[in-house]
Amino acid sequence: MTDLSLSIEKLKNVGQRNAPRLNRLGIKTLKDLLWHLPSKYEDYSETIPISDVSPGQKVNVQGEVVKITTKKIFPRRLFITDAIVKDMSGAVKAVWFNQPFIENQLPEGAFVSLAGKVKTGKNGVYLASPTYEKISSFQPTTLKHTHGLVPVYPETEGVTSKYLRFLIKPILSDLQLNDPTPESILKKHGFPTLSDAITTVHFPLSENEAKTARERLAFDDLMLFQIKALLERRKLNQLKSVPITFNEPLVKDFISALPFELTGDQKIAVWEILKDLGKKYPMNRLMEGDVGSGKTVVALIAGLEVAASGHQSVFLAPTEVLAYQHFKTISSLLNNSPVKVGLLTGSTAQINGEAISKKGLKERILNNEVGIVIGTHAVIQKDVEFKSLAFLIIDEQHRFGVSQRAHLIKNRGLVPHLLSMTATPIPRTLALTIYGDLDISIIREKPKNRQKIVTKIIGQNQRKSAYQFMREEVKKGKQIFVVCPRIEVSDPKSEIRTSGRQSKMNILWADVKAVEEEYKKLSQEIFPDLKIAMLHGKLKPKEKNRIMQEFKDSWHDILVSTSVIEVGVDVPNATIMAIESADRFGLAQLHQFRGRVGRDQHQSYCLLFSSSSDKTTSQRLKALTECDDGFELAEKDMAIRGPGEFMGTKQSGLPDLAMASLTNVELIKKARLEARLLLKEDPSLNKYPLLRERLAEFQKMTHFE
Ligand code: ADP
Ligand code: MG
């Protein structure tokens, strides 16, 4: 068996010098090397007669070197090596720059295989810097650089594709890998064995063969991910929660007393959540819905039912402003209800709109006199104790609350039901894979009274009239958000070098600069007469809260900010969302920005400033002007940018290859099916020790808390 854990320095032809370079590509073991997959293949499957060579083609030719010379061009210290290569049909010239050693490697009389691009020069056609391999006789299977589908790899300084091919090819001829995936599954889906998949993914005979190999490799990870999710679900189902019995009259009365009618999707979500609450084991549900789709009221209905049955709920918001906003909305919706609502943040404590000391509030929480506690992280501190916490709602937190819930399991081992909410639409295939351990409720339908937000792309020559339009809205008493572009780090290498924290800081600083410049431009040149405020990630949380609250209270006409302004903040009076360099953002993100306006009856607008003339960019922005469904846009965005870019591979914990295959619905279905069948047949995977081992590795690797 091939030892995959073999350290890379131990390989022949690596050594002290190349190991650190390979490390830079994330290659530390033989496994990493074999799983360093080609990004594409150059097609040299056909060796053509030299007489057929024509300009513009990429070709493989083979023949004898009949003449080779190197000239030195003095003023530029340039070496040019010219070779004439001849086969039965004719001869062609090959030219290389600054590689005089080739003359020694390919002496006259040697046979060579060349692959490269054909160009036209003063003296006819020639092969420009072709890749070359010496051949003794015509044996295409032994060629790795110039014949067949030649793999091209992600490279780094000092590690070329040629070097990687040179390392990988010899290993493949004697590859014997333990296959963790059961043979029956491979047979059923026509997948190659692991050894075959790895061999053909590097040196396939056809694109199709490469595709099958890739699918097989992605399948392994997708199936493991599903197994992991199913196991987590099973673990959760063995825990105990307070079952909340469905209280039909209460729910019906509350819904009919609402000042609006729930949308169909809201009703379905309520139903799904109430059903989960009735179970003796914890709910683990994610509710997705565009900004403004009305998630809060859905969560509130569930919280109300929990309170009516004598238990408590916590509603966690990411910021004080949002917590306060929820507190106000929820208090007013519960106006006629005996349920008490508390607000607890770092800076305030209130019950039903009246200030109270924090200590007082905590006492009343402990006595179960407060049914719904809304707050920020302050709520999950150790000193806040509940008499009977049964339900945890988490709004807009990217990690979906698993760790927050862990903080709250202190109630005699009873685990609160968990509902997380997000306005980030996640395409279905992605959600099923990455959040396979969560149940999902989707609110797609918008409340009836919503206006369509008019979305316009603003080119350079429309800028003036756009500013004019903005001014008119302000004159009408409306407010405007201006979002500044993400600054691209000018030297991407410095980002790699100053990894992690430092590079994040650099980006943060760059963003701050962008906001400051935009603020200066707007407040000094364009709208000197208007009240403008700015918001960025470098401000202290307190200051951010203050500015956000001031904007909500209409102290400022325009708020200039980075892309980090809080999701979900409701400023009904804001009617324009203007986004600078809109082309630098993803569709889903632009859609989220847009969701911050149009909260009221007023017609609202989204202005996408873009001076890019790139065709795909303008197509992307155009999609936004035509579509206002976050899920549809998310699907498009993922299709355009690829799942990895869309989601951020690190965040998902899913290996690149599996990530890339997330648009392959069929493959995901297969992985889900097989994971379920496997666990049904053998719940602890005793029969599949290899799979169990890989699962353990996988769990370590994807443990993202
Ligand atoms: P989000 O899903 O972004 O959290 P909210 O829950 O904040 O949205 O709802 C936005 C606004 O829409 C709130 O003022 C809420 O009261 C209102 N709303 C919720 N559901 C409906 C509905 N079915 N019809 C009309 N307005 C609604
Ligand atoms: Mg919300």
Side-chain angles (χ1 to χ4, degrees), residues 447-453 598 600-604 628:
K448 281 195 197 66
N449 60 358
R450 293 293 138 79
Q451 296 228 13
K452 232 187 160 108
I453 297 166
D600 215 348
Q601 301 298 329
H602 320 291
Q603 177 61 57
S604 294
D628 66 349

Side-chain angles (χ1 to χ4, degrees), residues 473-535:
E473 281 291 293
V474 171
K475 273 200 194 132
K476 285 193 224 155
K478 300 289 181 276
Q479 290 167 280
I480 299 173
F481 287 106
V482 175
V483 172
C484 292
R486 263 247 97 110
I487 299 286
E488 276 154 36
V489 181
S490 55
D491 177 10
K493 268 200 202 135
S494 81
E495 201 182 347
I496 293 167
R497 246 181 278 126
T498 57
S499 65
R501 219 183 136 72
Q502 187 57 40
S503 82
K504 249 190 222 142
M505 297 288 277
N506 289 345
I507 292 170
L508 209 54
W509 275 118
D511 277 359
V512 172
K513 213 167 135 238
V515 171
E516 279 170 349
E517 270 166 24
E518 185 68 22
Y519 172 78
K520 222 165 106 187
K521 182 177 103 187
L522 292 180
S523 60
Q524 294 179 0
E525 293 165 35
I526 317 238
F527 304 120
D529 49 328
L530 304 185
K531 290 178 297 233
I532 304 181
M534 68 172 156
L535 196 63

Side-chain angles (χ1 to χ4, degrees), residues 45 92 192 208 295 429 455 476 515 532 559 566 669:
S45 5
V92 69
N208 217 19
K295 297 183 289 292
T429 52
T455 304
K476 285 193 224 155
V515 171
I532 304 181
L559 182 67
E566 280 87 22
K669 278 198 193 146

Side-chain angles (χ1 to χ4, degrees), residues 291 396 422-425 567 587-596:
V291 180
E396 295 301 350
T422 177
T424 309
V567 184
L587 276 181
Q589 202 178 6
L590 290 169
H591 178 64
Q592 282 218 345
F593 293 150
R594 174 167 66 179
R596 280 170 215 165

Side-chain angles (χ1 to χ4, degrees), residues 295-296 326 395-396 421 568 599:
K295 297 183 289 292
T296 316
H326 284 315
D395 194 22
E396 295 301 350
M421 309 199 286
R599 287 308 187 84

